[in-house]
């Protein structure tokens, strides 16, 4: 009987924390995607390992990274590299370079900018 109570004390917080994480992750992503406003342009790109892409931004943009390794490196106007995990909000003008630093996994990049 003591083992069952101990397992219940271990499993119940895990279930609660997991459900809260999923709920708030979904809210964070929905709010991030609404950052550029209602009138926006959207591009989706698959970056292969060690591949980079350059694009022009003018105003509010959101970058959403999906994949096994959801880390990419970004440079804005040739500045210092910045590591991005999952989502990044931008409000700038200029050239953005995004590079997949992984040597094994590809990532999907969603770029949504105000028009």
């Amino acid at each position: 009987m003591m083992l069952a109570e101990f397992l219940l004390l271990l499993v119940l917080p895990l279930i609660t924390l997991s459900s809260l994480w999923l709920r708030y992750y979904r809210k964070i992503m929905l709010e991030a995607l609404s950052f550029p406003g209602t009138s926006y342009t959207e591009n989706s790109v698959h970056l292969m390992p060690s591949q980079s892409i350059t694009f022009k931004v003018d105003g509010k943009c959101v970058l959403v990274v999906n994949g096994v390794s959801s880390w990419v490196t970004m440079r804005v106007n040739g500045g210092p590299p910045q590591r991005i995990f999952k989502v990044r909000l931008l409000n700038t003008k200029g050239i953005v370079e995004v590079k997949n630093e992984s040597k094994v996994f590809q990532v999907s990049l969603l770029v949504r900018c105000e028009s």
Side-chain angles (χ1 to χ4, degrees), residues 14-25:
L14 180 65
I15 293 170
T16 305
L17 289 174
S18 298
S19 65
L20 287 173
W21 166 251
L22 291 174
R23 180 181 303 154
Y24 285 110
Y25 177 77

Side-chain angles (χ1 to χ4, degrees), residues 2-15:
M2 186 72 158
L3 180 65
E5 292 171 355
F6 181 69
L7 287 176
L8 183 63
L9 284 174
L10 288 178
V11 171
L12 191 59
L14 180 65
I15 293 170

Side-chain angles (χ1 to χ4, degrees), residues 62-108:
V62 62
L63 305 173
V64 179
V65 183
N66 291 315
V68 175
S69 170
S70 296
W71 287 95
V72 293
T73 303
M74 174 185 78
R75 287 180 182 258
V76 179
N77 294 326
Q82 303 171 19
R83 299 275 291 168
I84 300 174
F85 180 72
K86 290 283 186 187
V87 65
R88 170 64 191 227
L89 304 177
L90 290 173
N91 190 6
T92 188
K93 292 183 180 182
I95 304 294
V96 176
E97 178 188 3
V98 177
K99 183 175 183 182
N100 181 8
E101 296 288 343
S102 175
K103 304 292 183 205
V104 179
F105 301 112
Q106 70 176 0
V107 295
S108 296

